Each structure stands twice: as C-alpha cells, then as structure tokens.
Amino acid sequence: MNAPLCRISGQAINRAIDFGIQPLGNGFLLPEFFSSEYFYPMEMGFCETSMMFQLIEQPAPEQMFHEHYAFYSSTSRYMEWHFAEFANQVKQSGYLAKVDPFVVELGCNDGIMLKNFASAGMRHLGIEPSRNVAAVANGNGVRTLSEFFSEAVAEKIVREEGQADAFLAANVMCHIPDMLGVVKGIRALLKPTGVVMFEDPYLGDVIEKTSYDQIYDEHVFLFSAHSVQYMFQLHGMELIDVLPQKTHGGSMRYVLAHAGAYPVSQAVTQLFVKEQELGLHKQSTFETFRRSIEQSRVDLVNLLRELKSQGKRIAGYGATSKSTTVLNYCGIGPDLIEFISDTTPIKQGKFTPGMHIPVKPYEVFQASPPDYAVLFAWNHAEEIMAKEKAFVEAGGRWIVHIPKVQVLG
Ligand code: TYD
C-alpha cells in the first residue's frame, strides 16, 4: 500500500492514531437506516514537513454535508455572544477600511456572526455550501452565496464586488480538505491591507486535555500555529496575531495578512515557543497522545461498567459529534448509557451513529434524571453546570472524560 500523502506539503504522512471503523460524527439516524449506515476507517496521521495533524482518509463530502445536514450554529446562547464578540473585534481591529469596508465569511452557517455586520449596514457576503443552511442565513438578512469557496469563486467576487478587507471563518477551515485551494482564493480575494481571521479547535488544547473527541470525519485537520504558518507562507501570507478562545473546548483565532503588511505580534512569537515545548512540531508527541487516549478509554469503560454493576442508571448529556468518536472508539452502547439528552429537535427520536443509543428530548432527562450523566457537551460545561444545579442537588453526579475520566462532586 502506498504511503498516504499530506494534503498541504504533498510529502508522505506518518500514521499516528488508528480509531478503527467509525460512522459519521453527526450522522444521527432512525432505525430504518441502521442496515445501510455508512462507516469508514478513521486514522490520523502527522506530516513532519507541514507539521499538519490530519485525517488520512475522509468520507466523500456528499456523505457529510447534504440537505439533511443537522448542524445549525445558533443553538447556544454562549455561541451567540461569542460571535457578536468576534464581529466586534473585527470592527474595532483597525484592519478595515474607514470607508465602505467589505467583509466576507466562509461557512457563515445560519448567519450567526455576519448578522452583526448586516445589522450595522456594512457590506458583507456569506459563502455557505449547504443550500438549506444558506437559505436560513438569507432569511436572517445575511447576503449569502451557496457555493464551495475556491480561487475561481474568489475571482468572481472580486470582479463583481471588489476585494475584501476581512475574510472570516469559524469552525470551517478545519473541515476543508482542499485547504490550499482556499488559501489561494483568500490571497486573490484580500486587499493588500486585508486580513484573514479564522478560528478552529486548537491542537495544543487537544493534546493538553486528551480531547481526542475533536477527531471525527468533519475535522480533517487539527491546526497549530506551526501548521497554519506553513500553509499560508506557501502563498505569501503570514501569521500576525493569535488569540486563544474558550469555544469548542479550546480554540485558536488566527490573524493572517499578506507578508510584510503588518508587524507580527508578540503573542505569535510566544505561541511558537509554547508549541515547541508541547512538541506540536514532532511525531513523538502523537505517540504519547495515542497512549493517553488508550488510557482514557480503559478508564471510562471501567467506570461505566462498575457503576452499572452497582445498578446505577447512566445517561449522556448532549448528543455531540464528539460523542460519536468516544462511544464508537470505547464500544459504549445502550447497555451502558440508557439515552442521551439533547435540546436539538432534529436529533431527538433518532439514535447515535454506530452505537445506536436513543437521543431523547431534555424533558425526559428532567422527568427521569439518571444517577450519573456523562457530559458529552463538555465544551458547554459552564452553561450546563449553571443550568443543572437541581440535578446535582437531587443527588445526580456528572461524569467527565476531559481532561481525565472522573466523577465530579
Ligand atoms: P456542539 O457544541 O456543536 O458539539 P459538536 O460540534 O461536537 O457536535 O454540540 C452541543 C450539543 O449539545 C448540541 O446538540 C446541543 C446540545 N446541548 C444540550 O442538549 N443542552 C445544552 O444545554 C447545551 C448547551 C447543548
């Protein structure tokens, strides 16, 4: 078998972590589709040239993003606040032209961030490949094209509307296998003074917290400052700032510009040093990471089996894409977890991908609280813990698996 190649450098990738056969992270389904459920071999590799940690094989995009794709951004109050803050930061950054600035967002979803520009009367354009989601954004007053972004799409936008001051993306870039095509498009789209600001789950947090559940079919890359710098420098751009974020269990906002356009902040230099210390640039780090993941699996399965043997009832909280990786990698099914509570109507009444645990509305959790709840939506821990004081007061206990498997309280 030929060695797989890095999507960025074109060099051979070293195989790093094999998660076995996995279903789609967000592929919640009804029983009539169990027999035709899609599975693929999920394995991560590391390229020592680009320093990019990436999926070796990814399902075809039409398997993942289609008319029934169940992800809308505006599901959490915290995320609404977060994107308003992101938009404010862009407006106040000093990077936008004083007169008639133009802001483009890739993967604008239902318009959760761009509506903050639209309501201020600023020139904006969203690019969202999921047609049904783009329609929701347009309905929210956010001007949105339903396209896959590329150099050709960028050139069309420049011809029709001129170059952009800012190119934004949140939790989108790490989904795109043809990243180099996107980087070329960005270079064509941006004014000489233009900036890219994008954020995604950060590899440094994933390694430090053993949050291996950030790995699933949609996340083709887990970025670091090292890999982002490599990828953009190939096309004459460079990192000028980095801003750590709390979202998605630890993300990084990267700010890039045409090389030499702006001074490079101290935060960039400091992050490079920190990443060297964490070893994000070398293969051996991913071998240690693999051993931590294996230990996490042993600890979680042992804990759930022990509690079950004591006759305890265990449910899950938040039917996240992340939970699909944990459940399938650990082999945890309805024998251990009775149901998963989730507030998203389109997930309710369905079953989790692969392990087929029923997803039930939040009201079921409230009406019949379990003894233990596994916090699969751990990235929303603060919001959830604040809301669920009554569960704990009534004797319920949280199980978390990040940064290590434990029962809280
Ligand atoms: P999300 O944070 O998008 O994670 P992922 O990208 O891994 O899918 O998903 C959070 C899920 O948790 C979503 O389905 C909604 C659900 N949820 C609840 O059920 N209750 C809550 O209080 C919160 C904040 C989220």
Side-chain angles (χ1 to χ4, degrees):
M1 194 164 53
N2 288 338
L5 299 182
C6 171
R7 293 173 180 81
I8 307 301
S9 71
Q11 306 290 314
I13 309 182
N14 298 321
R15 292 177 185 276
I17 306 167
D18 188 351
F19 291 90
I21 295 294
Q22 291 271 339
L24 302 178
N26 202 25
F28 296 90
L29 72 175
L30 291 168
E32 58 257 46
F33 298 110
F34 286 173
S35 60
S36 58
E37 193 171 5
Y38 181 86
F39 289 88
Y40 73 104
M42 190 169 101
E43 188 174 8
M44 289 297 278
F46 180 71
C47 169
E48 287 176 305
T49 305
S50 66
M51 295 160 286
M52 191 65 85
F53 188 47
Q54 56 195 289
L55 274 178
I56 289 178
E57 203 174 298
Q58 199 188 22
E62 54 274 22
Q63 290 285 351
M64 298 185 285
F65 306 110
H66 44 64
E67 291 298 297
H68 306 293
Y69 182 63
F71 190 85
Y72 287 97
S73 292
S74 304
T75 49
S76 137
R77 295 224 317 273
Y78 180 77
M79 293 309 279
E80 289 277 351
W81 175 85
H82 173 78
F83 286 116
E85 181 275 332
F86 192 160
N88 265 339
Q89 202 214 354
V90 176
K91 287 181 198 165
Q92 290 162 12
S93 64
Y95 296 125
L96 301 185
K98 299 261 177 309
V99 181
D100 191 27
F102 179 35
V103 176
V104 174
E105 187 188 355
L106 181 60
C108 66
N109 201 271
D110 51 15
I112 186 168
M113 173 147 64
L114 274 188
K115 68 182 180 192
N116 295 286
F117 295 93
S119 61
M122 286 173 76
R123 207 148 60 84
H124 65 275
L125 182 67
I127 303 165
E128 172 53 59
S130 292
R131 225 172 260 283
N132 49 334
V133 181
V136 175
N138 277 309
N140 288 341
V142 169
R143 210 163 60 88
T144 303
L145 273 182
S146 184
E147 293 267 17
F148 280 96
F149 184 69
S150 63
E151 199 172 8
V153 170
E155 283 164 356
K156 181 167 158 267
I157 297 171
V158 173
R159 272 195 310 276
E160 292 172 5
E161 319 203 22
Q163 285 184 309
D165 293 83
F167 180 94
L168 313 178
N171 308 312
V172 170
M173 299 282 265
C174 73
H175 290 57
I176 303 176
D178 180 22
M179 230 8 261
L180 286 187
V182 169
V183 175
K184 281 187 212 161
I186 292 174
R187 186 187 52 181
L189 182 64
L190 281 187
K191 287 180 183 170
T193 52
V195 291
V196 186
M197 293 172 106
F198 79 92
E199 63 185 38
D200 277 299
Y202 176 53
L203 179 61
D205 284 293
V206 170
I207 298 282
E208 283 187 315
K209 297 176 187 159
T210 316
S211 47
Y212 69 90
D213 53 0
Q214 291 291 4
I215 299 168
Y216 55 93
D217 57 302
E218 293 173 28
H219 289 172
V220 62
F221 301 114
L222 279 175
F223 296 131
S224 63
H226 275 79
S227 58
V228 166
Q229 180 82 312
Y230 178 90
M231 168 167 95
F232 276 87
Q233 276 186 340
L234 290 177
H235 293 285
M237 301 183 71
E238 65 179 1
L239 260 177
I240 55 167
D241 207 1
V242 283
L243 301 111
Q245 304 295 317
K246 282 206 279 181
T247 42
H248 288 287
S251 297
M252 190 61 71
R253 186 174 300 163
Y254 304 94
V255 187
L256 299 112
H258 295 290
Y262 294 99
V264 174
S265 81
Q266 270 204 344
V268 171
T269 323
Q270 286 162 358
L271 189 62
F272 275 118
V273 172
K274 188 173 175 216
E275 290 192 355
Q276 292 273 332
E277 285 164 7
L278 261 178
L280 301 191
H281 61 300
K282 58 179 190 202
Q283 177 73 23
S284 59
T285 304
F286 298 92
E287 284 153 25
T288 314
F289 182 41
R290 178 175 49 74
R291 284 195 291 275
S292 306
I293 296 171
E294 287 165 0
Q295 187 60 50
S296 175
R297 167 166 64 179
V298 169
D299 292 346
L300 184 60
V301 170
N302 285 350
L303 173 64
L304 298 184
R305 284 197 186 136
E306 169 62 25
L307 293 172
K308 209 67 198 172
S309 73
Q310 295 169 13
K312 303 293 186 196
R313 286 182 55 224
I314 310 169
Y317 198 103
T320 54
S321 303
K322 293 185 286 295
S323 68
T324 299
T325 297
V326 177
L327 296 170
N328 287 276
Y329 173 67
C330 299
I332 297 168
D335 52 326
L336 290 175
I337 294 188
E338 203 177 299
F339 68 93
I340 302 188
S341 160
D342 198 286
T343 51
T344 316
I346 35 176
K347 292 183 185 173
Q348 295 162 358
K350 292 190 176 151
F351 290 77
T352 65
M355 296 311 295
H356 303 162
I357 298 172
V359 180
K360 303 227 162 132
Y362 176 57
E363 291 68 33
V364 174
F365 182 89
Q366 274 186 314
S368 170
D371 300 306
Y372 290 83
V374 185
L375 186 57
F376 288 121
W378 59 271
N379 48 314
H380 301 285
E382 264 177 51
E383 184 173 336
I384 293 171
M385 299 283 176
K387 188 162 79 176
E388 295 299 349
K389 289 208 175 92
F391 167 64
V392 177
E393 280 160 15
R397 288 288 170 264
W398 292 106
I399 295 174
V400 293
H401 61 100
I402 306 292
K404 66 180 176 51
V405 174
Q406 58 187 315
V407 177
L408 298 183

